[in-house]
Tab-separated table of all heavy atoms in Angstrom:
chain	number	residue	atom	x	y	z
A	46	ALA	N	78.489	-72.895	-45.086
A	46	ALA	CA	77.731	-73.474	-43.974
A	46	ALA	C	77.730	-72.574	-42.739
A	46	ALA	O	76.747	-72.539	-42.003
A	46	ALA	CB	78.304	-74.847	-43.612
A	47	GLN	N	78.821	-71.843	-42.503
A	47	GLN	CA	78.949	-71.086	-41.260
A	47	GLN	C	78.756	-69.589	-41.405
A	47	GLN	O	78.613	-68.888	-40.408
A	47	GLN	CB	80.313	-71.373	-40.634
A	47	GLN	CG	80.453	-72.827	-40.221
A	47	GLN	CD	81.783	-73.099	-39.565
A	47	GLN	OE1	82.364	-72.228	-38.937
A	47	GLN	NE2	82.265	-74.326	-39.701
A	48	ALA	N	78.766	-69.096	-42.634
A	48	ALA	CA	78.660	-67.652	-42.830
A	48	ALA	C	77.589	-67.335	-43.868
A	48	ALA	O	77.286	-68.149	-44.735
A	48	ALA	CB	80.006	-67.084	-43.269
A	49	ASP	N	77.060	-66.147	-43.747
A	49	ASP	CA	76.050	-65.669	-44.690
A	49	ASP	C	76.783	-65.013	-45.865
A	49	ASP	O	76.850	-63.785	-45.967
A	49	ASP	CB	75.118	-64.679	-43.992
A	49	ASP	CG	73.936	-64.289	-44.862
A	49	ASP	OD1	73.628	-65.034	-45.809
A	49	ASP	OD2	73.339	-63.234	-44.591
A	185	SER	N	79.471	-62.382	-42.239
A	185	SER	CA	78.430	-62.487	-41.208
A	185	SER	C	78.200	-63.938	-40.838
A	185	SER	O	78.115	-64.804	-41.719
A	185	SER	CB	77.115	-61.903	-41.711
A	185	SER	OG	77.266	-60.512	-41.952
A	186	ARG	N	78.069	-64.195	-39.523
A	186	ARG	CA	77.765	-65.545	-39.045
A	186	ARG	C	76.369	-65.925	-39.538
A	186	ARG	O	75.440	-65.140	-39.477
A	186	ARG	CB	77.822	-65.587	-37.527
A	186	ARG	CG	77.674	-66.967	-36.942
A	186	ARG	CD	77.803	-66.978	-35.431
A	186	ARG	NE	79.010	-66.348	-34.920
A	186	ARG	CZ	80.199	-66.964	-34.837
A	186	ARG	NH1	80.323	-68.206	-35.230
A	186	ARG	NH2	81.247	-66.336	-34.370
A	187	ARG	N	76.263	-67.161	-40.040
A	187	ARG	CA	74.962	-67.652	-40.518
A	187	ARG	C	74.027	-67.804	-39.334
A	187	ARG	O	74.388	-68.336	-38.303
A	187	ARG	CB	75.123	-68.989	-41.247
A	187	ARG	CG	73.808	-69.492	-41.817
A	187	ARG	CD	73.976	-70.658	-42.762
A	187	ARG	NE	74.667	-70.372	-43.993
A	187	ARG	CZ	74.172	-69.674	-45.018
A	187	ARG	NH1	72.988	-69.139	-44.935
A	187	ARG	NH2	74.876	-69.501	-46.115
A	188	LYS	N	72.792	-67.327	-39.503
A	188	LYS	CA	71.776	-67.464	-38.458
A	188	LYS	C	71.306	-68.903	-38.443
A	188	LYS	O	71.089	-69.508	-39.474
A	188	LYS	CB	70.586	-66.543	-38.751
A	188	LYS	CG	70.960	-65.092	-39.017
A	188	LYS	CD	71.168	-64.317	-37.751
A	188	LYS	CE	71.309	-62.849	-37.996
A	188	LYS	NZ	72.625	-62.366	-38.286
A	189	LYS	N	71.144	-69.462	-37.232
A	189	LYS	CA	70.718	-70.861	-37.119
A	189	LYS	C	69.213	-70.985	-37.130
A	189	LYS	O	68.467	-70.165	-36.838
A	189	LYS	CB	71.275	-71.479	-35.845
A	189	LYS	CG	72.776	-71.586	-35.914
A	189	LYS	CD	73.329	-72.288	-34.706
A	189	LYS	CE	74.841	-72.377	-34.833
A	189	LYS	NZ	75.469	-73.067	-33.777
Side-chain angles (χ1 to χ4, degrees):
Q47 296 182 30
D49 188 20
S185 296
R186 186 177 307 277
R187 183 169 294 287
K188 308 278 190 273
K189 293 184 180 182

